[in-house]
Amino acid sequence: MSGGYLGDFTYRTHAEFYPEHCDLSIDPDAFEGTTRERFIAILSSLPPTDQAKVLRDVIERFPPDEGPRTRKGAHTEVLALIERLGAGTLIPGATPQITSDVVLRAITDAENLIQTSGPTSAVDRVHTVLHGYLIAACNVAHVSHNQGDTMVALLRKLEAEHPALADLGPRAQDVKKALNACASILDAMLPVRNRGSMAHPNPDLLGEPGARRVINVARTILHYLDVKFLQNA
């Protein structure tokens, strides 16, 4: 950027950039100012995932080995920003309809930690929320289980005995694939919780983008199961 200019963009090429390169329907003429001012206003108006998309296409258009020497440093900073934006914002947490005292307390702890210490500190509590939810779902549906059952074991028992998962209805094979994917994710969450969270004095903790992904995945699985179970309540 220099003055009101934005690289070699003209008003025309700037307008063409968003639909042709970013797959976004944006009209720069709807924003006032120079090309530079319009770009800043447009970028500021977009959600994080679209911001990452625009920045990714910008650095492809202006590679670091071409142009001013300062571009290399800026390129590194923008790549780091893209990684953060690509992680997205956290999916809003919601209290499930099937719950227990442990789940409610863990939800409160997780939300407080996210707000005060960041997502990394909340990974352990979110794991507890999901594990506690699966136990509560088994209890409500009178599905037998053991105290030491893992999340994968609990999900498998619910699949076998809960009416909502025993009869998957239309596209049963595809829904079954989705449940198998959920089981794989649950299986991966245990070592993540044990070795990358604040559950233990681990030397290498998940970074913020990774923690956000784990929390979002956990919340998505919980919401999916809660809706499925309530449909057969």
Side-chain angles (χ1 to χ4, degrees):
M1 295 182 179
S2 176
Y5 295 100
L6 182 67
D8 61 3
F9 277 120
T10 64
Y11 283 112
R12 179 183 60 80
T13 57
H14 184 216
E16 294 171 348
F17 172 72
Y18 300 102
E20 293 183 3
H21 297 275
C22 309
D23 197 26
L24 295 173
S25 297
I26 296 173
D27 180 12
D29 289 336
F31 298 82
E32 297 182 354
T34 63
T35 305
R36 174 186 179 181
E37 291 169 339
R38 292 182 183 190
F39 174 78
I40 293 172
I42 290 169
L43 194 64
S44 300
S45 70
L46 296 174
T49 51
D50 286 343
Q51 288 179 330
K53 186 185 299 185
V54 170
L55 290 176
R56 192 176 296 112
D57 288 324
V58 164
I59 62 174
E60 287 181 4
R61 183 183 177 95
F62 302 105
D65 55 348
E66 299 178 11
R69 184 177 302 175
T70 54
R71 185 177 291 175
K72 290 186 177 181
H75 183 266
T76 301
E77 293 177 8
V78 172
L79 284 176
L81 183 57
I82 288 171
E83 183 178 357
R84 288 189 60 191
L85 292 169
T89 55
L90 283 173
I91 296 172
T95 302
Q97 299 299 309
I98 299 172
T99 190
S100 66
D101 290 342
V102 170
V103 172
L104 291 175
R105 182 164 183 172
I107 288 173
T108 300
D109 288 349
E111 295 300 328
N112 288 336
L113 286 167
I114 288 170
Q115 295 298 322
T116 58
S117 303
T120 301
S121 297
V123 169
D124 175 39
R125 294 294 87 190
V126 170
H127 182 280
T128 300
V129 169
L130 190 52
H131 198 170
Y133 173 81
L134 292 169
I135 293 172
C138 285
N139 291 337
V140 169
H142 304 291
V143 173
S144 61
H145 60 91
N146 301 315
Q147 185 175 359
D149 280 345
T150 65
M151 291 196 292
V152 174
L154 292 167
L155 179 61
R156 292 306 187 198
K157 290 178 179 180
L158 286 166
E159 284 185 82
E161 301 183 41
H162 199 292
L165 301 181
D167 181 7
L168 298 176
R171 306 297 304 176
Q173 288 185 329
D174 294 330
V175 177
K176 179 65 175 175
K177 287 181 181 179
L179 286 171
N180 287 338
C182 289
S184 297
I185 292 170
L186 294 180
D187 188 45
M189 285 187 68
L190 184 59
V192 166
R193 178 256 184 194
N194 287 341
R195 301 170 190 166
S197 80
M198 296 293 291
H200 303 291
N202 293 301
D204 299 315
L205 298 175
L206 287 175
E208 182 176 320
R212 285 178 180 272
R213 291 189 183 97
V214 170
I215 292 172
N216 282 341
V217 167
R219 287 176 169 175
T220 299
I221 292 175
L222 189 152
H223 177 71
Y224 167 75
L225 292 174
D226 205 43
V227 170
K228 288 287 291 181
F229 294 151
L230 288 175
Q231 287 175 346
N232 286 263

